Amino acid sequence: MRNTGLTLAAAGSAPAISAPFVSSAMAQAKTLTIVQWSHFVPEYDKWFDNFAKDWGSKNNIAVTVDHIPVANVAARAAAEASAQSGHDLFGWNGSGGAHLYKKFLVDVTDLVESTQKKYGKVSTIGRQIGYNLEDKSWTAFPDFYINFPSMYRKSMWDEIGMKPDTWDNVRIGGAKLKAKGHPVGISLGHSNDPNTTWRGVLWAFGGAVQDETGKKVVLNSKETVEAVKFVSALYKEAMTPEVLSWDDSSNNRYLVSGVGSMIINPISAYRTFQKANKKGADDTFVMAPPKGPARQIMGGAIEYYGIWKFAKNKEGALEFLKYYADHWPEAFKASEGYNNPCFANLVPKPMPLLSDDPTSTPRDKLSILQDSEGWSASPGYPGPSWPAVDEVYNDFVICDMMAKAATGQMSAEDSVKWATQQCEAIYKKWLEKA
């Protein structure tokens, strides 16, 4: 874990009158510890740390914020739950937390419901992560979701007279551009990006891991086999073997290198490109994910906070989240449009930065992202998220299903059967616990 060393001690002794919402029990605690991933937009972390420092100063509470690599979030959560010790507030990235750790987390139903009264209903994608369908409770507080649009080098695709607006075009055009030294770049490794992207392809072809009830594994279907065959062809024809070992930052670097002709990624890659090479960024266009035979859809990653039952300052964590929600539009701006709202009225349209970005050419280049809720879905789609969904996600079953076929280890049919067996074993275990 990388500790920022940022112990945000309150500056001076703020009088009680400056913190009217803080109870005496909370004030006595004097500390609040937070852990979350190192954001791909570094400016956001700077804003958040200062924001937390300011809150601590107002309430005479020392706030410590630890930022850890995104790949370490799941392991860190497991370690803290196992030890029954750790931070007060835990920020998850992607799936793999809220439902798996329900018994270790404080019920935040009242907090979510009060936030909904102020800022509108939680979106479908936000609801899929923290909401427990069986008892209608909330285990986690939805922070934001990350969309995964398509980003492509316009000049390269113009040169071959194509646009990567369908998955067939991505494969066919990608093969032509690979021959020119500009392959498509989508990770086939173990990280959040491929976990979201390959689920998007699976759904786009009509396949899914589970049905709408969330109780039945439906992965073994002709639609899934077609999706796996497509990914295998895409890998062979339009990509290079390096994608097999990519992490979540690899395709960002790939785009910025000027080699990649297209990636599927949050706009952090575009923002990084803007800072490194404005001309290259101006030539990079952002669009909704490619259409598949069944639908146009892409996985989205949900960010959310949980409060451990063993936290030393549960009340402080709740109060911080209330304050944070009231200032969420500031977080949106600090993330440069990367963090997308989960509550309906937090950032009304036209959204700043996305509808008219003075740093982009053209200025409305990112406007498509305002409607990303319509094509983004969380890992449980088309059903609810629950522990089995989280475990399949954490075990990278869908990533491995695609990779095994793409690299020739298995046929598409056998790879689907293997993945189905993995999923059915996980679902059987959790259904027996229910």
Side-chain angles (χ1 to χ4, degrees), residues 217-289:
V217 174
V218 296
L219 188 61
N220 192 10
S221 67
K222 63 179 182 181
E223 289 83 4
T224 301
V225 171
E226 289 304 310
V228 174
K229 286 181 177 177
F230 169 79
V231 174
S232 182
L234 178 67
Y235 170 74
K236 293 181 175 70
E237 297 171 20
M239 300 202 290
T240 56
E242 62 185 307
V243 301
L244 296 169
S245 59
W246 275 6
D247 61 24
D248 283 340
S249 63
S250 299
N251 53 357
N252 295 29
R253 295 193 296 271
Y254 188 61
L255 184 69
V256 173
S257 73
V259 174
S261 58
M262 178 201 162
I263 64 172
I264 302 287
N265 200 78
I267 62 166
S268 53
Y270 173 69
R271 294 304 193 194
T272 301
F273 207 176
Q274 281 186 304
K275 295 175 178 66
N277 182 342
K278 181 69 164 56
K279 186 177 179 181
D282 287 347
D283 186 44
T284 301
F285 276 59
V286 179
M287 61 191 298

Side-chain angles (χ1 to χ4, degrees), residues 2-316:
R2 178 175 72 86
N3 190 315
T4 61
L6 183 62
T7 299
L8 307 172
S13 54
I17 194 171
S18 67
F21 51 85
V22 180
S23 72
S24 58
M26 178 178 140
Q28 287 171 3
K30 301 289 186 184
T31 64
L32 179 71
T33 55
I34 304 170
V35 62
Q36 57 197 36
W37 62 293
S38 297
H39 203 288
F40 281 123
V41 178
E43 288 75 12
Y44 177 77
D45 283 347
K46 295 175 185 174
W47 172 85
F48 185 89
D49 292 351
N50 286 328
F51 177 81
K53 176 182 179 181
D54 180 68
W55 179 83
S57 296
K58 290 176 179 176
N59 296 287
N60 197 28
I61 294 175
V63 181
T64 301
V65 184
D66 291 321
H67 298 280
I68 61 177
V70 64
N72 294 356
V73 171
R76 182 69 192 182
E80 294 198 3
S82 177
Q84 291 288 286
S85 178
H87 297 78
D88 299 305
L89 200 56
F90 199 100
W92 268 274
N93 174 289
S95 188
H99 301 288
L100 283 177
Y101 295 108
K102 182 183 177 184
K103 68 179 182 179
F104 298 113
L105 294 169
V106 171
D107 185 326
V108 293
T109 303
D110 289 346
L111 173 63
V112 175
E113 290 182 349
S114 65
T115 306
Q116 286 190 116
K117 288 179 182 176
K118 295 175 72 174
Y119 300 113
K121 287 188 175 180
V122 176
S123 63
T124 299
I125 189 169
R127 189 180 180 86
Q128 284 177 310
I129 286 296
Y131 186 68
N132 303 298
L133 191 61
E134 72 280 8
D135 61 5
K136 305 186 187 311
S137 67
W138 286 87
T139 302
F141 181 78
D143 183 2
F144 62 91
Y145 76 92
I146 304 171
N147 53 35
F148 283 72
S150 170
M151 295 177 204
Y152 67 103
R153 290 295 299 267
K154 187 174 186 302
S155 62
M156 296 177 185
W157 285 84
D158 283 351
E159 190 175 322
I160 61 170
M162 296 183 69
K163 198 172 182 180
D165 52 358
T166 69
W167 280 112
D168 273 346
N169 280 354
V170 172
R171 180 181 62 80
I172 296 168
K176 292 179 180 180
L177 288 169
K178 180 181 178 181
K180 293 175 175 288
H182 299 294
V184 168
I186 303 174
S187 173
L188 272 164
H190 279 188
S191 62
N192 275 324
D193 286 0
N195 245 338
T196 55
T197 305
W198 297 128
R199 276 175 172 76
V201 174
L202 174 65
W203 300 328
F205 276 74
V209 173
Q210 65 178 17
D211 66 3
E212 293 182 353
T213 71
K215 305 299 182 187
K216 183 180 179 183
V217 174
V218 296
L219 188 61
N220 192 10
S221 67
K222 63 179 182 181
E223 289 83 4
T224 301
V225 171
E226 289 304 310
V228 174
K229 286 181 177 177
F230 169 79
V231 174
S232 182
L234 178 67
Y235 170 74
K236 293 181 175 70
E237 297 171 20
M239 300 202 290
T240 56
E242 62 185 307
V243 301
L244 296 169
S245 59
W246 275 6
D247 61 24
D248 283 340
S249 63
S250 299
N251 53 357
N252 295 29
R253 295 193 296 271
Y254 188 61
L255 184 69
V256 173
S257 73
V259 174
S261 58
M262 178 201 162
I263 64 172
I264 302 287
N265 200 78
I267 62 166
S268 53
Y270 173 69
R271 294 304 193 194
T272 301
F273 207 176
Q274 281 186 304
K275 295 175 178 66
N277 182 342
K278 181 69 164 56
K279 186 177 179 181
D282 287 347
D283 186 44
T284 301
F285 276 59
V286 179
M287 61 191 298
K291 296 176 182 176
R295 58 181 67 89
Q296 185 175 22
I297 190 170
M298 182 46 62
I302 297 293
E303 312 304 300
Y304 50 99
Y305 285 109
I307 303 171
W308 293 122
K309 287 182 177 176
F310 50 78
K312 295 178 180 176
N313 192 359
K314 293 190 278 291
E315 186 179 354

Side-chain angles (χ1 to χ4, degrees), residues 304-359:
Y304 50 99
Y305 285 109
I307 303 171
W308 293 122
K309 287 182 177 176
F310 50 78
K312 295 178 180 176
N313 192 359
K314 293 190 278 291
E315 186 179 354
L318 277 168
E319 292 298 336
F320 177 79
L321 288 177
K322 288 178 187 175
Y323 185 81
Y324 174 66
D326 287 339
H327 294 78
W328 203 88
E330 296 173 30
F332 178 77
K333 291 180 181 177
S335 74
E336 301 179 343
Y338 181 97
N339 297 6
N340 296 275
C342 286
F343 293 86
N345 303 321
L346 272 176
V347 185
K349 298 175 187 175
M351 294 181 178
L353 295 179
L354 298 184
S355 64
D356 182 18
D357 180 16
T359 69

